[in-house]
Amino acid sequence: MSDIQYTYAVARIRSLEVSLFSAAVLEQLLACKDEQQCLAVLAEKGWGDNDTPAEADAILKRETEKAWETIRELQVDMSLFEVLSLPRLFHNLKAAVKE
């Protein structure tokens, strides 16, 4: 990764840090009385997008996709992230052995 790409990547990630949840937002989520209220708060904070249904799994899936899109946009070596798939691979292997 060149110095210019590195500088851009750092600036891009720093700009995304603004959207991380603060302690106040976490308290707001903890104070929600039901799942629908939580989902409304998450939508208000920019989670998901216009096409994402108001369902927890759909919103989480979309946010995961957005994170990977950002990583790909930064042209980072994807082999660095292979370790993140190990728990999923281990679970699949364990299920196959039990089968």
Side-chain angles (χ1 to χ4, degrees):
M1 181 180 278
S2 72
D3 287 345
I4 293 173
Q5 286 176 317
Y6 179 78
T7 303
Y8 171 76
V10 170
R12 177 77 171 111
I13 296 302
R14 293 259 170 117
S15 71
L16 291 172
E17 287 177 354
V18 176
S19 64
L20 293 175
F21 289 167
S22 64
V25 173
L26 292 175
E27 290 295 328
Q28 186 180 4
L29 283 168
L30 289 170
C32 292
K33 298 191 185 316
D34 60 11
E35 181 182 6
Q36 292 306 321
Q37 196 175 10
C38 265
L39 295 175
V41 170
L42 289 173
E44 187 180 296
K45 299 299 177 189
W47 276 47
D49 55 26
N50 293 338
D51 299 331
T52 307
E55 299 169 355
D57 288 337
I59 291 172
L60 266 174
K61 182 178 179 187
R62 181 63 192 128
E63 286 304 306
T64 302
E65 289 169 356
K66 283 196 237 179
W68 285 115
E69 287 167 7
T70 301
I71 291 169
R72 280 189 216 92
E73 168 194 327
L74 298 175
Q75 299 175 350
V76 177
D77 179 11
M78 294 304 283
S79 69
L80 297 172
F81 296 98
E82 287 176 1
V83 70
L84 297 177
S85 68
L86 290 179
R88 190 174 43 226
L89 293 174
F90 176 75
H91 174 73
N92 291 342
L93 179 62
K94 191 169 64 172
V97 169
K98 283 184 178 180
E99 190 61 31

